Amino acid sequence: MFRKILYPTDFSDVSKIALNYLKQLKESGAEEILVLHVIDKKDLQFSYLYLFDESNADGNVEQKLKGDAERELNEIEGKLKDWGFRVSSSVKLGVPIKEILNAEQNKDISIIVIGSHGKSNVEEMLLGSVSENIIRKCKKPILVVKR
Ligand code: ATP
Ligand code: MN
């Protein structure tokens, strides 16, 4: 029923809780996972302030963020492969909800697995803004894993 999963992750703790549910979906017939991380364009300007030093004075902040994300994705990919999944992963630079909606268009995707919250994880918020938008706009079934 849920053969191919879209798993968008911001590498937050909540998102890692969601990762553990993928294992259980394997047991009910899931075979393949697309792991997606979006570097938020909106955050890029702040990253320039934090990461700009002698070593990346040529402005390679984007490259550094991509490299960091790829390392995280490799780790996740290894885990998922150990659990027996076929895995592909991708890093995009842009607006998270747009990129997630884009990935959802892949006709093979049968379910989306997300965390209710992410990196901000504000106590009073019922949902993060990305998860809220996914629930509003995505057409496919969604498994929202709580913090
Ligand atoms: P907010 O971003 O609104 O301050 P938050 O960080 O607590 O709140 P969200 O960003 O909505 O919460 O995160 C909820 C879930 O959405 C995450 O667990 C993850 O599955 C997904 N997600 C969030 N940001 C990204 C991203 N940049 N790339 C991929 N998936 C993401
Ligand atoms: Mn967030």
Side-chain angles (χ1 to χ4, degrees):
M1 183 160 137
F2 297 131
R3 204 195 58 79
K4 183 165 176 179
I5 302 166
L6 171 62
Y7 170 59
T9 176
D10 61 354
F11 311 127
S12 60
D13 291 346
V14 190
S15 185
K16 287 189 174 142
I17 298 174
L19 180 67
N20 287 317
Y21 281 84
L22 297 176
K23 195 178 187 177
Q24 298 180 44
L25 283 169
K26 180 83 182 58
E27 285 148 23
S28 48
E31 292 167 5
E32 202 175 339
I33 304 193
L34 173 57
V35 188
L36 170 66
H37 176 71
V38 185
I39 299 169
D40 197 334
K41 242 172 33 185
K42 176 167 66 59
D43 295 336
L44 204 58
Q45 51 186 319
F46 297 109
S47 301
Y48 273 101
L49 294 176
Y50 287 122
L51 299 176
F52 194 83
D53 61 24
E54 298 288 315
S55 63
N56 49 36
D58 57 349
N60 258 335
V61 171
E62 213 177 294
Q63 271 326 105
K64 171 167 178 10
L65 291 175
K66 273 207 174 124
D68 289 349
E70 271 154 14
R71 268 186 295 281
E72 297 254 26
L73 286 174
N74 278 340
E75 202 176 304
I76 293 171
E77 226 181 292
K79 207 173 208 180
L80 292 172
K81 282 182 177 160
D82 286 346
W83 293 344
F85 284 107
R86 272 187 290 140
V87 189
S88 53
S89 57
S90 99
V91 184
K92 300 273 171 167
L93 172 68
V95 180
I97 182 63
K98 280 197 189 154
E99 297 301 331
I100 292 164
L101 277 164
N102 215 14
E104 188 210 12
Q105 295 310 305
N106 178 328
K107 64 172 171 27
D108 294 340
I109 298 288
S110 40
I111 186 170
I112 307 167
V113 176
I114 55 168
S116 59
H117 302 79
K119 280 258 154 89
S120 314
N121 201 9
V122 178
E123 175 103 49
E124 306 79 48
M125 297 292 286
L126 175 65
L127 286 169
S129 60
V130 176
S131 46
E132 183 178 334
N133 270 295
I134 293 173
I135 295 165
R136 276 186 202 283
K137 295 176 182 158
C138 287
K139 300 274 184 267
K140 297 194 171 150
I142 302 163
L143 173 62
V144 182
V145 176
K146 293 176 78 168
R147 60 186 167 186

